[in-house]
Structure formats: C-alpha cells, structure tokens
Amino acid sequence: MLRRSNCGLRLLALTAVLVLQGCGAVYVSPDVHAGAGGVTVVPMTAESVRLANQSPYTPRAIPVAFSQNVTPNDAHASRAIGVLPSAGNAPQPSPMITRIPPQIDPGPYRIGPADVLRLTTLPATNTGTGLAVQEAQTTYTVQDDGMVSIPAVGRVLVQDLTLAQAEAQLFESFVSARIDPTFSLEMAEYHARTVVVGGAVAAPISVPLTPQPLFLDAALARAGGVAAADLTDASIRIYRDSTLYQVPLSAYLATPQFQKIRLLGGDSVYVDTGVSLDQAQAFFARQITLAQTRHQAQAQALGVLNAELDQRRATLSTQRTNFQDQLALDAVARDYVYLAGEVSAPGRFTLPFGRDATLADALFSEGGFSSQTGNPAQIYVLRAGDGGAVTAWQLDARNVGNLVLATQINMRPNDIIFIAEQPVTRWHRVVQQIVPSLITSGAGLAAN
C-alpha cells in the first residue's frame, strides 16, 4: 500500500514537471511582441525604410590626420626662393663670321615647372527637373619638383610629359582616388621654357615657348624689332648650350633661311652693334649667372620645403599612430549596433567612421544568421524613439528578394538587430531541457 502511494506521488511530480515545462516555466524564448512595452512592429518596405533613414545621424568623422595630404606651400616656397634679379637690358656687342645654330625639332611641347594647367571637370548638378552639366575650371601651377597638387587626388608628376601624357597620368590618379575621371586638360600659361632677347632691340623681353615653333624673326618682333641705325658691324648672336652662334644683321635681313632659325628653350639672343665681343660676352655671362642663381635658389627652396614636408609627415604619422593606439585600447568614443537572437555572433557592431552602415553591413560582417535555427520571417531592427517608444522594423526574408531592403536601411547608434528562432528550434530546445529531467526521474523510479 505504501509503495503504491509513493509511485502515485512520483507520477504526480513528473506530471507537474511536464505541465510547468509546457507552460514555459522552464524554457523562456525571446521574441518581439507588438504593443508590449510600447513596441510598434512595422513591416520593412521601401517606404518604411525611407522613413527609418530620416532619423538624424551624423557618422563620427575620421581624424583630420587621415585625410590630409602633405603638399608644398607655394607661398612658403616663394618666400624661400625670393625675388630673382631681372635680365634687364645689356650693353651691345658685335658680329664676326657667320655661324648658324643647328636646326633642331624638340618634338611635342613638354610640361615644365611654372607652366599653368587648366583642369575642366563636368560635375552633374541636380536642378530639380533633372541633371544639368556645369563646367568647373581650375588652374594649377606646376611646382619646382614637376608636380601639381590637386585636392582629393594628391600630387601628380607631370614634368617632361606632353599634354596627352599628362592627361593620361591625371586619369589614372583620378581613378585611383575613386573620383569620376570626366575632365579635360589644357595649357593655360607657358612659363617653363623661355628665350631671352636683348641688346639693340626696342624692348628687351623674355619670350615663353609654346607648342608653336618660335623662329628668330618672331622673337625679334616680340622685342619690338632691331634698333640699330648702322648695319655695318651689327650682328645677331645666339648663345645655346655653351656654344656661341652669330649672323651678320645684313645677312639676316637678306636671307629668309636665317630669319627662320628655330629657337629653343634656354637660348639667349643678343643684337650687337659693334665688332668687339666684350659687351655680348657680358650679356651672356649675365644670363648664365641668372640661370645659376635661379637654380641655386630653387635648390635651397626645395631643401627648406622638403624639410618642412618631412616634419609635416612625421606629425601626421604621430597623430595617426596615437589615434590607432587609442582605438586599440577602446579609448575612442564610438557608436555601436547590438546583435541578439539567432545571429551567428551575438555582440556589437561598430558603426564606421565617415559613412552610414546598413543592416546588411552589421549583420553579414559578423557572420549573418543560421537558417537552421533563425526564423527568416522575423528579422527585426529595434530602435528607441522619443518617450521610450520602440519601433521594430520587421524584415521578412522568406522571400530572398526582400534582403535587398537590408542593404538600404541605415543603422543608428544603439539599434538592436534581433532574429527570432524557428518554431521547431523552440520545440527542440524545450525537449533538450525536458529529456534530462525524464531520464533523472525514470532512473529514480527504477531505483525504488
């Protein structure tokens, strides 16, 4: 009688365990309940995503040290170079025998320091009724090191390139910087290569070379023409690459071939009215001195400039390293999104610097979710609003096409991404908790 009573009590206890488990007293499954605690469930659609993205948020900016380029300061370089002396007017020398410089075709014009390039871009602007194309032109001066510094692109080497080659170089730089390479490039001003004309001319001048050939007669015309009254001993002397050439002025005027002597960058032309070379020698020596002075001044300026750039690079490198160390120690304020439920890696996703992150970024960068345990019909983005109200945008990914919405809804700080479990997963977990109890209870009954 006592044994029968004990069996009845054990059976009653086992029944109570099953009832408690069936009521959820043993296993509690998290879920999103509309209306409970001020939660509003909103199906995720293109329209609701648009409304969700209207929530104001400005991504944290990456430190300025990571967006700065170390570029020369033109004003600083100018101060370092200083003002070079002017060629001015020189005394007047004289001719001897006829010696003609070789006719050399330098080929296409190649860009050099002090040249000015004009960059024309075609950005698209929204006028409200459609896209309109509006040109934007900017000029850039080629620096002493042969580079141009373009914002958002960086420094590009263009020295000794033809215009077509420079355009191709800029195209590659634009593509590397992920900027729309829709632009045109042209020469705005020519300053890199010049021919100096002095002596018995109306107005001594420095003539810049362009892609068009510069002939002797045109250079003299640019200087106002020859101002020599007596042609008996007058001559035109040309100094090129350490060699002196000369043409009697009378022969120059009588011979079209002499008038079409092609001049090259760095040539010095002197109209001499005497026989002695002393005054011509003084003029050419002055040109050499000017060139050397300019070269030395530029070398000194570049040395100062390079030292300044090295210091800037070191400063930027230190700032970047310090920031990265702080980032590694979690000493930098960041914004987070939290992942819970049937995600592959519950935890937090750090919102990036300088841009928005989407649900797809936060979910799939952390491994996504398991299709075996997670319910694709119940993927939620929970966001707290004013007054403690919570909006839960529900993504039904049973139709895989709806996953596109996950790439469109932007995350906000403290959003919670939650994925509910499959119904079969819930039952499986209940069974996993019940079976050990059944085994323990059965073992106890068998022992008695």
Side-chain angles (χ1 to χ4, degrees), residues 237-239 244 268-270 280-288:
R237 304 185 193 272
I238 302 172
Y239 185 78
L244 181 64
S268 296
V269 178
Y270 191 86
Q281 181 180 5
F283 175 79
F284 295 131
R286 181 175 177 81
Q287 301 308 311
I288 295 173

Side-chain angles (χ1 to χ4, degrees), residues 349-364:
F349 168 78
T350 307
L351 293 180
F353 289 105
R355 67 175 180 86
D356 284 314
T358 65
L359 169 60
D361 292 330
L363 187 59
F364 293 104

Side-chain angles (χ1 to χ4, degrees), residues 165-249:
Q165 291 171 336
E167 194 168 24
Q169 185 82 341
L170 283 176
F171 181 89
E172 294 180 3
S173 299
F174 270 66
V175 171
S176 298
R178 298 185 177 182
I179 296 176
D180 180 14
T182 304
F183 68 88
S184 64
L185 186 69
E186 59 184 342
M187 295 294 302
E189 299 176 19
Y190 297 89
H191 300 290
R193 296 168 179 82
T194 59
V195 172
V196 178
V197 182
V201 292
I205 190 174
S206 177
V207 183
L209 291 186
T210 69
Q212 301 300 322
L214 177 64
F215 298 108
L216 181 57
D217 58 350
L220 291 173
R222 293 283 297 275
V226 176
D230 185 3
L231 302 183
T232 304
D233 296 324
S235 65
I236 300 173
R237 304 185 193 272
I238 302 172
Y239 185 78
R240 175 189 298 172
D241 295 334
S242 304
T243 303
L244 181 64
Y245 305 94
Q246 55 197 13
V247 180
L249 187 56

